[in-house]
């Protein structure tokens, strides 16, 4: 028998996220959990298991694979799926693979085809009406007004003016036939909350978050870790072993590492409390005009 | 966002050991507050400046803000801290905020969730989401203008949404030369306003966002101010939490992985629950006992308001999403009709009588506003006549639901008293409101547990209470047969009562006519009386035309399947009309009685009555014999 904790901030965040997930399953016809392998997804999955315990979560998880993820991410994904018993659907935009995309030289196009379009295709193919994702409002100013249950119109488009008010966390899940929902149980969490919760609950995350010596090179000012041979080094570039880690994880040529000595959770949190860079600064694709996130969202990006 | 008190500008704090720091962060609590102010009060600037001063804005965001300040800032190229907050492209270009924006920051003591509410009057509706979950309201007041119309409106909406503590941040103090007398006058205005609106606690702080006065440190510009700076106020202000209410758990999802486990998952709206507790399942009213309280992936000794849990019960009873599992001593009230406050959100107006869907806690049910009592002027709180509500208007209304729900008045419990209305056609969320109380007085009356129950009363009479419900056309022979049945029962030693339609309409129901609405009410009252008589241990005979299936179903549901016996006294209309004992058919045919059943108003025959009598083919005595046989079998 456990002892009731006082209601801390983390307790309240956890309870609300579980409520949101249960609401999705209770009200939606065919929900899915979008699993991106990162720390937020790890927290989502942990909450999902708690929300439906002792039942196995009554929904599958979907990973949209751009084929450029770190190998450690894919290994981690497959192991977690096996250990939790949650059904894993992997979706790859085969047409995009056939055409060939280039995350190095055409990052935006690569993301559009292998991530945004692929997600739209996957949701349409499997007829999911609600996709639970790990996006947080604190990630970007454009997300500050996002609803927990975000209505997407035809083509998964987000219309800022059609979003529904959610007083008292009463979520309106009614849909016309071409509409879907994105559900964000971590809306109220900050990056710090995520790490504190991972620490408190002992949640396993991809080892790439922890500092380790890795083969790095610098391109366009970003410190990259070379994960496979598909990107040849250009003249003047060379692989230098450095102790680095990642604050966010994505396609490896699009994810900048930071030099760090933080090799465990406490060190990561300590580093975050001191660092003066926002989380998404490590995402190369976000360094476009400052409103790029809003544009991407309108096009159906998560 | 960073959460560091030690790199706050102007704050000198020793760096505690990391472990202690992490422990503090892990155990800190939350303050949810709504921030509101008129368009020009400088709300975004204040919040942006507070975050920057407290060292919570990352360098890359600060740099972006400085770049953007030169491009489209409103401070002539100087840092425009409001740009740290304004999110959407469209509104950034227009320089307004149209929607609630959620902000997150924290210190080692507290995490803050801020609903940054839009200022324009026409966006009042957008305050709803922010105010509904707020534990504190922060209202900006421009020191040059004092309390304005918009200040009143914001405070009124906070009050409507149950926010019991409001902080008035009197901003732009630099523009009144930090004049204490002027500030004091505004402070008094604010306290008076809060008092008028029934807000229990009101505080005020003099600030200047531009100069960072009294944001994270007391300002030398206001030596006369002895209170806390804004950040410290937010870190320490006490807000009430509904921890000591009676237990209530709206059932969200039934967890049934296999037949060895059947649990009811939900978030506790109020109170606490432990294994062994007696509970009642509402609205049905069945009693049971808690066996396990499962929280996350472990069994708990006790769980309390706000926790997401799963309960298992000792009895195999029917519990579904939308039911409320509650403390049987102080359960939520049950009602289907309410007085409520309603804030209209949709561009299409609210029309009384139109059918919407209502969502309250985990319950979804058909609803209509039957009457708009009045509209409330948001600025003066005056009551205005209204036949409809348009977007941003607040009305005091009567609300009627398709069936009973479990609820608590909003002032007692936000989760069981706050609701939204959804449009059935457009699927939009069109309104939101607060239940004040149930109408028809069935709400505030708790079910008193009586020591002597129906079974005990019936036992001394040596009988089992039953309700024989005779239905049929006027002249079909209901009263005749019911009379015979009662005489036989009394002769056999049964204790009975006969409720006859004509007789009841002379007394209890003499205020009712023959419209459909009155017929419904007629039957509802009789069913309630029948139920009371059965509680007294009696065999109740009801002889009413009761033409509508829906109302007979209502009576059956109220009395309980198994104890309710529908007796269909059947005879063709022409036979009944031929008998015309009371001369009513003749009058109806002559147009002297409107809505007469069988002539001007339909009779819906029972689909599966417990007994079907044909009064045109068998004698009343034979019919009575069959009824008595059925009853004693």
């Amino acid at each position: 028998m456990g002892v009731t904790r006082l209601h801390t901030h983390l307790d309240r965040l956890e309870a609300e996220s579980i409520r949101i997930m249960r609401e999705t399953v209770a009200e939606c016809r065919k929900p899915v959990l979008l699993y991106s392998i990162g720390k937020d997804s790890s927290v989502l999955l942990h909450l999902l298991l708690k929300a439906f315990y002792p039942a196995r979560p009554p929904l599958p998880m979907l990973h949209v694979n751009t084929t450029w993820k770190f190998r450690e991410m894919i290994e981690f994904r497959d192991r977690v799926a096996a250990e939790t018993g949650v059904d894993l659907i992997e979706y790859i935009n085969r047409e995009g693979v056939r055409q060939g995309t280039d995350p190095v030289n055409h990052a935006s196009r690569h993301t559009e085809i292998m991530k945004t379009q692929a997600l739209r295709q996957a949701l349409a193919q499997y007829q999911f009406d609600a996709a639970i994702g790990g996006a947080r409002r604190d990630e970007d100013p454009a997300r500050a007004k996002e609803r927990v249950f975000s209505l997407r119109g035809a083509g998964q488009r987000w219309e800022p003016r059609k979003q529904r008010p959610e007083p008292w966390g009463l979520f309106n899940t009614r849909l016309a036939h071409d509409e879907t929902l994105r559900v964000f149980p971590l809306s109220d969490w900050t990056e710090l909350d995520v790490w504190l919760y991972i620490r408190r609950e002992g949640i396993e995350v991809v080892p790439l978050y922890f500092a380790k010596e890795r083969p790095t090179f610098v391109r366009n000012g970003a410190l990259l870790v070379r994960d496979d041979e598909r990107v040849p080094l250009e003249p003047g570039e060379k692989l230098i072993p450095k102790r680095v880690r990642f604050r966010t994880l994505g396609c490896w040529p699009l994810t900048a590492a930071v030099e760090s000595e933080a090799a465990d959770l406490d060190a990561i949190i300590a580093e975050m409390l001191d660092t003066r860079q926002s989380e998404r600064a490590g995402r190369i694709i976000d360094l476009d005009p400052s409103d790029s996130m809003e544009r991407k969202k309108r096009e159906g990006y998560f | 966002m960073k959460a560091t008190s030690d790199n706050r500008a102007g704050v000198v704090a020793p760096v505690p050991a990391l472990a202690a720091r992490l422990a503090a962060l892990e155990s800190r609590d939350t303050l949810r507050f709504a921030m509101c102010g008129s368009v020009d009060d400088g709300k975004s600037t204040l919040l942006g400046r507070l975050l920057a001063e407290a060292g919570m804005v990352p360098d890359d965001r600060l740099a972006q803000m400085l770049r953007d300040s030169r491009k489209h800032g409103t401070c002539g190229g100087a840092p425009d801290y409001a740009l740290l907050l304004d999110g959407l492209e469209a509104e950034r270009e227009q320089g307004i905020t149209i929607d609630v924006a959620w902000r997150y920051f924290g210190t080692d003591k507290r995490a803050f969730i801020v609903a940054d509410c839009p200022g324009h009057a026409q966006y009042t509706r957008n305050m709803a989401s922010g105010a509904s979950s707020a534990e504190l309201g922060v209202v900006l007041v421009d020191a040059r203008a004092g309390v304005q119309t918009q200040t009143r409106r914001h405070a009124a909406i906070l009050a409507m949404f149950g926010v019991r503590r409001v902080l008035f941040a009197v901003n732009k103090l630099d523009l009144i030369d930090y004049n204490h007398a002027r500030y004091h006058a505004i402070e008094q205005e604010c306290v008076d306003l809060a008092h008028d609106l029934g807000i229990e606690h009101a505080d005020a702080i003099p600030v200047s966002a531009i100069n960072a006065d009294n944001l994270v440190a007391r300002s030398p510009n206001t030596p006369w101010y002895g209170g806390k700076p804004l950040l410290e106020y937010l870190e320490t202000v006490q807000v009430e939490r509904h921890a000591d209410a009676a237990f209530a758990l709206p059932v969200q999802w039934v967890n049934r992985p296999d037949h060895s486990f059947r649990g009811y998952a939900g978030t506790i709206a109020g109170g606490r629950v432990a294994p062994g507790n007696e509970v009642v399942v509402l609205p049905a009213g069945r009693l049971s006992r808690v066996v396990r309280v499962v929280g996350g992936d472990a069994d708990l000794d006790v769980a309390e308001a706000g926790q997401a849990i799963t309960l298992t019960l000792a009895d195999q009873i029917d519990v579904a999403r939308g039911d409320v599992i509650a403390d049987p001593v102080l359960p939520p009230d049950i009602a289907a009709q309410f007085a409520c406050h309603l804030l209209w959100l949709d561009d299409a107006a609210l029309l009384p009588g139109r059918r919407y869907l209502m969502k309250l806690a985990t319950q979804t049910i058909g609803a209509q506003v039957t009457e708009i009592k009045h509209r409330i002027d948001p600025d003066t709180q005056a009551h205005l006549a209204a036949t409809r509500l348009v977007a941003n208007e607040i009305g005091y209304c009567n609300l009627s639901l398709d069936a009973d729900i479990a609820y608590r008045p909003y002032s007692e419990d936000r989760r069981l008293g706050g609701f939204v209305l959804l449009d059935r056609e457009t699927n939009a969320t069109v309104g939101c409101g607060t239940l004040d109380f149930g109408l028809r007085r069935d709400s505030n009356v708790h079910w008193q547990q009586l020591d002597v129950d129906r079974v005990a009363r019936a036992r001394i009479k040596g009988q089992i209470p039953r309700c024989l419900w005779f239905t049929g056309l006027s002249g079909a022979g209901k009263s005749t047969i019911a009379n015979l049945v009662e005489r036989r029962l009394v002769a056999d030693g049964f204790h009975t009562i006969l409720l006859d339609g004509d007789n009841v309409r002379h007394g209890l129901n003499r205020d009712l006519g023959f419209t459909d609405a009155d017929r419904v009410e007629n039957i509802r009252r009789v069913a309630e009386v029948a139920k009371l008589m059965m509680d007294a241990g009696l065999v109740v005979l009801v002889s009413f035309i009761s033409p509508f299936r829906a109302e007979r179903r209502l009576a059956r549901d109220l009395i309980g399947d198994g104890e309710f016996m529908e007796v269909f006294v059947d005879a063709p209309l022409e036979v009944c009309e031929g008998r015309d004992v009371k001369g009513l058919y003749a009058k109806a045919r002559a147009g002297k009685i409107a809505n007469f059943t069988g002539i001007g108003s339909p009779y819906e025959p029972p689909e599966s009555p417990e007994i079907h009598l044909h009064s045109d083919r068998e004698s009343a005595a034979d019919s009575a014999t069959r009824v008595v046989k059925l009853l004693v079998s």
Side-chain angles (χ1 to χ4, degrees):
Chain A
M1 291 269 177
V3 179
T4 324
R5 276 188 296 256
L6 289 171
H7 269 206
T8 66
H9 181 55
L10 290 180
D11 293 335
R12 290 176 79 179
L13 290 175
E14 178 191 67
E16 182 63 3
S17 298
I18 288 173
R19 188 179 76 84
I20 292 162
M21 289 181 166
R22 288 172 171 170
E23 200 67 10
T24 310
V25 164
E27 294 235 311
C28 296
R29 179 180 47 79
K30 192 176 178 189
V32 66
L33 182 94
L34 295 180
Y35 182 73
S36 68
I37 323 179
K39 62 184 190 306
D40 304 294
S41 285
S42 294
V43 167
L44 266 191
L45 183 57
H46 182 82
L47 292 165
L48 188 80
L49 294 168
K50 280 196 175 193
F52 300 104
Y53 176 86
R56 205 160 58 110
L59 70 171
M61 54 186 184
L62 169 70
H63 177 231
V64 175
N65 192 348
T66 62
T67 72
W68 284 90
K69 302 296 178 191
F70 291 94
R71 283 166 297 171
E72 277 181 90
M73 291 172 70
I74 301 299
E75 286 161 23
F76 181 88
R77 177 197 74 182
D78 293 342
R79 188 162 55 75
V80 163
E83 283 170 10
T84 58
V86 179
D87 291 336
L88 172 71
I89 299 169
E90 179 185 66
Y91 188 88
I92 296 173
N93 183 350
R94 294 291 168 195
E95 179 59 21
V97 172
R98 201 185 57 76
Q99 288 174 10
T101 60
D102 179 357
V104 184
N105 295 310
H106 298 100
S108 293
R109 182 170 170 274
H110 166 76
T111 303
E112 161 66 19
I113 292 174
M114 297 305 292
K115 203 166 163 181
T116 310
Q117 282 185 18
L119 176 60
R120 281 206 300 256
Q121 290 166 4
L123 296 180
Q125 177 180 323
Y126 290 95
Q127 301 274 296
F128 293 122
D129 62 337
I132 300 173
R136 293 177 277 111
R137 291 200 188 106
D138 85 319
E139 284 178 66
D140 187 283
R143 282 189 166 145
K145 305 186 177 192
E146 182 61 285
R147 302 299 196 268
V148 176
F149 281 64
S150 174
L151 182 68
R152 302 299 165 102
Q156 317 276 345
R157 275 170 189 278
W158 179 70
E159 267 307 319
R161 281 167 205 279
K162 276 191 76 176
Q163 299 302 311
R164 297 159 170 177
E166 299 177 329
W168 304 291
L170 290 171
F171 305 118
N172 176 350
T173 58
R174 291 170 65 82
L175 298 174
H177 82 278
D178 57 349
E179 293 173 337
T180 57
L181 291 168
R182 303 288 171 89
V183 183
F184 303 116
L186 304 184
S187 286
D188 282 344
W189 297 55
T190 64
E191 188 188 9
L192 178 64
D193 296 326
V194 167
W195 281 115
L196 288 171
Y197 186 72
I198 286 170
R199 179 177 179 273
R200 186 183 90 172
E201 300 286 305
I203 299 169
E204 197 187 348
V205 293
V206 182
L208 292 162
Y209 285 110
F210 301 107
K212 192 180 134 184
E213 197 170 272
R214 297 184 169 97
T216 68
F217 66 106
V218 176
R219 183 169 294 181
N220 301 328
L223 183 64
L224 299 180
V225 170
R226 200 171 183 226
D227 198 60
D228 60 51
E229 308 295 312
R230 283 179 286 177
V231 180
L233 293 181
E234 290 176 359
E237 289 176 348
K238 58 178 180 180
L239 289 179
I240 300 167
K242 279 186 178 164
R243 278 185 76 78
V244 296
R245 68 179 201 88
F246 296 89
R247 285 182 70 187
T248 64
L249 295 178
C251 295
W252 75 256
L254 295 174
T255 310
V258 290
E259 290 195 61
S260 168
E261 293 295 325
D264 61 31
L265 281 175
D266 284 10
I268 284 179
I269 297 169
E271 193 179 274
M272 187 175 31
L273 292 171
D274 292 335
T275 188
R276 302 287 306 163
Q277 289 293 308
S278 68
E279 185 182 10
R280 298 190 76 87
R283 290 195 189 174
I284 290 160
I285 188 164
D286 287 345
L287 297 179
D288 294 335
S290 60
D291 39 40
S292 63
M293 174 63 80
E294 184 185 351
R295 291 211 176 111
K296 275 184 290 184
K297 270 180 68 170
R298 287 201 184 142
E299 287 153 14
Y301 180 75
F302 210 71
Chain B
M1 296 252 169
K2 303 297 99 43
T4 56
S5 56
D6 45 339
N7 62 6
R8 254 186 241 159
V11 179
V12 181
V15 180
L18 180 61
R21 180 93 195 276
L22 292 175
L25 286 168
E26 192 176 295
S27 60
R28 64 188 175 160
D29 75 344
T30 319
L31 178 71
R32 300 185 71 110
F33 66 91
M35 191 135 175
C36 4
S38 302
V39 192
D40 299 320
D41 289 348
K43 177 168 56 72
S44 296
T45 306
L46 178 71
L47 201 49
R49 188 72 196 255
L50 179 70
L51 297 183
E53 288 298 310
M56 295 168 200
V57 181
D59 287 346
D60 54 320
R61 287 240 177 103
L62 272 179
Q64 185 186 315
M65 180 270 285
L66 295 174
R67 274 201 310 276
D68 290 351
S69 295
R70 288 191 289 275
K71 211 162 41 171
H72 41 228
T74 57
C75 306
D80 181 356
Y81 288 91
L83 292 177
L84 289 172
L85 306 179
D86 292 347
L88 301 188
E89 201 174 342
E91 73 194 59
R92 203 185 309 159
E93 280 158 12
Q94 293 167 23
I96 55 158
T97 55
I98 55 171
D99 212 338
V100 171
W102 297 91
R103 320 285 183 198
Y104 306 88
F105 67 103
T107 68
D108 287 5
K109 297 196 180 80
R110 249 186 190 164
F112 302 105
I113 298 179
V114 189
D116 185 1
C117 300
H120 278 71
Q122 64 267 39
Y123 296 123
T124 296
R125 58 183 164 186
N126 294 326
M127 268 190 72
S129 300
S132 72
S133 63
E135 297 161 316
L136 169 77
V138 177
V139 177
L140 249 77
V141 181
D142 186 328
R144 293 169 302 177
V147 169
Q148 293 175 285
T149 299
Q150 193 68 353
T151 316
R152 291 181 189 283
R153 179 176 291 211
H154 286 146
I157 292 174
L158 290 170
M160 169 186 166
F161 279 95
V163 177
R164 296 187 183 177
R165 182 179 281 272
V166 171
L167 169 69
F168 294 91
V170 183
N171 191 25
K172 303 190 183 181
L173 228 65
D174 51 314
L175 298 182
I176 59 161
D177 299 324
Y178 301 99
N179 182 315
H180 183 203
R182 176 70 189 127
Y183 168 76
H184 185 71
I186 295 172
E187 180 184 28
Q188 196 52 52
E189 263 190 297
C190 293
V191 170
D192 291 346
L193 170 63
H195 183 262
D196 290 347
L197 292 168
I199 294 167
E200 287 163 36
H201 310 282
D203 304 295
I205 299 182
V207 297
S208 163
I210 293 286
N211 294 336
D213 293 310
N214 294 325
L215 296 188
V216 299
R218 288 253 289 276
S219 169
N221 293 324
T222 55
W224 39 263
Y225 174 66
K228 293 170 179 172
L230 180 58
L231 188 61
E232 188 186 341
Y233 176 91
L234 295 174
E235 278 182 321
T236 54
V237 65
Q238 292 299 311
V239 290
E240 59 182 295
R241 306 253 156 84
H242 290 276
D244 45 358
F247 171 67
L249 177 86
V251 175
Q252 198 180 6
W253 185 71
V254 178
N255 189 345
R256 215 177 169 188
D258 54 56
H259 44 261
S260 72
F261 187 90
R262 186 184 178 89
Y264 307 105
T267 301
I268 303 176
R272 38 177 66 91
V273 66
N277 286 172
E278 299 289 329
V279 288
V280 62
V281 180
L282 300 172
R286 291 185 197 87
L287 293 168
S288 189
R289 187 171 46 77
V290 175
V291 178
R292 292 173 64 189
V293 178
V294 183
D297 46 10
D299 276 35
L300 303 175
D301 295 329
V302 62
E304 62 179 29
Q307 280 184 277
I309 58 162
T310 303
L311 292 183
T312 67
L313 301 182
D315 305 281
Q316 291 267 340
I317 53 177
D318 190 25
V319 183
R321 173 173 164 87
D323 288 347
V324 178
I325 300 176
D327 179 345
V329 178
L330 284 170
D333 299 322
I334 305 288
Q337 309 208 18
F338 301 92
C340 69
H341 281 85
L342 184 62
L343 167 60
W344 200 247
L345 305 169
D346 202 44
D347 290 332
L350 160 78
L351 298 176
R354 183 150 185 206
R355 293 179 52 73
Y356 300 94
L357 282 175
M358 182 179 101
K359 254 192 122 166
L360 177 140
T362 60
Q363 306 169 90
T364 303
I365 191 165
Q368 55 183 316
V369 170
T370 50
E371 187 183 358
I372 301 172
K373 297 283 210 188
H374 56 255
R375 184 164 78 74
I376 296 171
D377 184 307
D379 305 324
T380 64
Q381 305 301 303
H383 297 179
L384 310 172
T387 53
R388 55 182 215 148
L389 291 180
V390 301
N392 296 308
E393 288 185 339
I394 297 169
Y396 186 64
C397 307
N398 284 355
L399 185 72
S400 177
L401 309 183
D402 289 353
D404 279 345
I405 60 160
Y407 78 100
R408 285 204 170 109
Y410 185 77
S411 57
E412 292 173 21
D413 188 333
R414 290 193 195 185
R415 280 200 191 264
L416 281 174
F419 67 90
V420 290
L421 293 182
L422 316 183
D423 188 286
R424 290 166 185 260
E425 303 303 317
T426 66
N427 290 334
T429 300
V430 291
C432 68
T434 60
L435 297 181
D436 290 355
F437 54 85
L439 298 173
R440 296 195 166 182
R441 308 197 146 271
D442 55 355
S443 65
N444 291 318
V445 185
H446 296 294
W447 286 107
Q448 184 68 44
Q449 297 291 317
L450 302 175
D451 294 335
V452 179
D453 62 6
R454 172 189 291 197
V455 177
R457 295 189 200 99
R459 196 185 302 122
I460 57 171
K461 297 182 174 66
Q463 64 185 34
I464 300 165
R466 283 281 182 274
C467 177
L468 295 168
W469 190 282
F470 293 80
T471 175
L473 288 168
S474 177
K478 299 181 298 297
S479 297
T480 308
I481 298 169
N483 255 309
L484 281 172
V485 170
E486 189 178 29
R487 277 167 57 186
R488 300 242 179 109
L489 291 174
V490 169
D492 287 346
F494 284 92
H495 297 252
T496 62
I497 181 76
L498 172 56
L499 302 172
D500 186 89
D502 287 343
N503 298 351
V504 173
R505 274 193 178 274
H506 284 302
L508 176 66
N509 291 355
R510 75 170 162 220
D511 56 326
L512 300 178
F514 291 88
T515 62
D516 285 359
D518 278 359
R519 284 179 191 271
V520 172
E521 177 59 14
N522 185 37
I523 299 304
R524 191 193 67 79
R525 287 188 197 173
V526 171
E528 289 282 1
V529 171
K531 187 161 180 268
L532 283 175
M533 298 287 188
M534 290 170 72
D535 285 344
L538 301 177
V539 172
V540 183
L541 297 89
V542 176
S543 174
F544 271 63
I545 297 174
S546 44
F548 302 134
R549 281 191 200 113
E551 275 63 59
R552 294 195 302 266
R553 193 181 316 123
L554 181 148
R556 182 186 289 273
D557 290 346
L558 190 67
I559 287 162
D561 218 2
E563 300 189 320
F564 181 89
M565 305 176 83
E566 195 171 22
V567 181
F568 180 22
V569 184
D570 193 5
L573 178 63
E574 51 275 19
V575 174
C576 298
E577 196 169 351
R579 291 176 187 157
D580 205 6
V581 189
K582 303 169 195 164
L584 297 174
Y585 284 97
K587 282 189 190 168
R589 290 288 181 200
K592 290 177 189 160
I593 307 176
N595 299 328
F596 190 75
T597 300
I599 310 286
S601 183
Y603 178 81
E604 301 170 359
E607 282 165 340
S608 50
E610 272 71 12
I611 185 163
H612 189 158
L613 307 175
H614 297 274
S615 71
D616 56 329
R617 284 183 248 151
E618 63 187 353
S619 70
D622 289 348
S623 291
T625 305
R626 284 173 59 199
V627 173
V628 172
K629 260 190 193 158
L630 177 74
L631 182 72
V632 299
S633 68

